[in-house]
Amino acid sequence: AARGASVAMVGHVGDDEGGRAYRDRLSRLGIDVDLVVVDPDRPTGHALIVVSADGENSIVIAPGANASDRWPDTLKRALDGLSSEDVVLLQQEIPHDVTIAAIRGAHDKGARVVINMAPFAALPEDVIALVDPVIVNEHEALQLADAGLVPGSTVTTFGAEGVAWDGEQSPS
């Protein structure tokens, strides 16, 4: 996205080698990292992805700094700069209440909100209604349906088999 638009990352990293490397890499790619907060009290979070022989994956998340209690200030600063010209892309590796507040706050500012539901956690119906599209993998799509949540539109990923937007599959 940074190749054609102004991009800012919002999150928390630890004051460690991984956190510094992550911020530096994003900055070199042209991404504004002013809201990638360095937390001196927690390590940088990690996600470990295990892919089976048949292409299915499992993800284990150690949230580290992204589970910080510093989110209210970070979120306020991030939302203050939004307008109706912005797109906010979220995923669920931050505290659930922060995700919900970010969606509501971004929508109130007129920004378009997109969420990748990984790792899956159901959102309130009124919150999912503010998001378009919702991005899920095929397993999360079932969880979304089981939770009775119906987003405006859904992008479903199928690993090596491609992607579908509201059921219309693209060639893989």
Side-chain angles (χ1 to χ4, degrees), residues 10-145:
V10 180
H12 294 164
V13 296
D15 188 13
D16 51 34
E17 184 178 331
R20 286 186 292 276
Y22 188 63
R23 285 183 96 244
D24 289 346
R25 180 172 185 269
L26 291 173
S27 185
R28 282 193 314 274
L29 291 169
I31 297 169
D32 178 346
V33 295
D34 287 348
L35 289 171
V36 177
V37 176
V38 177
D39 186 332
D41 301 322
R42 294 178 184 250
T44 299
H46 294 280
L48 305 170
I49 303 169
V50 178
V51 181
S52 67
D54 64 354
E56 296 298 317
N57 69 41
S58 295
I59 303 171
V60 177
I61 297 169
N66 263 332
S68 170
D69 59 0
R70 299 167 190 251
W71 270 107
D73 179 60
T74 304
L75 184 57
K76 181 185 179 320
R77 290 175 48 215
L79 292 173
D80 282 348
L82 289 180
S83 75
S84 61
E85 296 178 4
D86 293 315
V87 175
V88 174
L89 173 62
L90 296 150
Q91 46 73 36
Q92 297 205 90
E93 291 182 21
I94 60 176
H96 196 63
D97 60 325
V98 175
T99 300
I100 291 169
I103 291 169
R104 287 182 172 142
H107 181 267
D108 288 349
K109 292 285 190 165
R112 180 176 189 171
V113 182
V114 177
I115 189 167
N116 186 318
M117 295 291 287
F120 186 85
L123 294 168
E125 283 184 51
D126 67 307
V127 172
I128 207 79
L130 305 177
V131 180
D132 188 29
V134 169
I135 303 167
V136 290
N137 65 29
E138 56 194 315
H139 305 293
E140 294 157 349
L142 293 173
Q143 292 173 300
L144 191 68

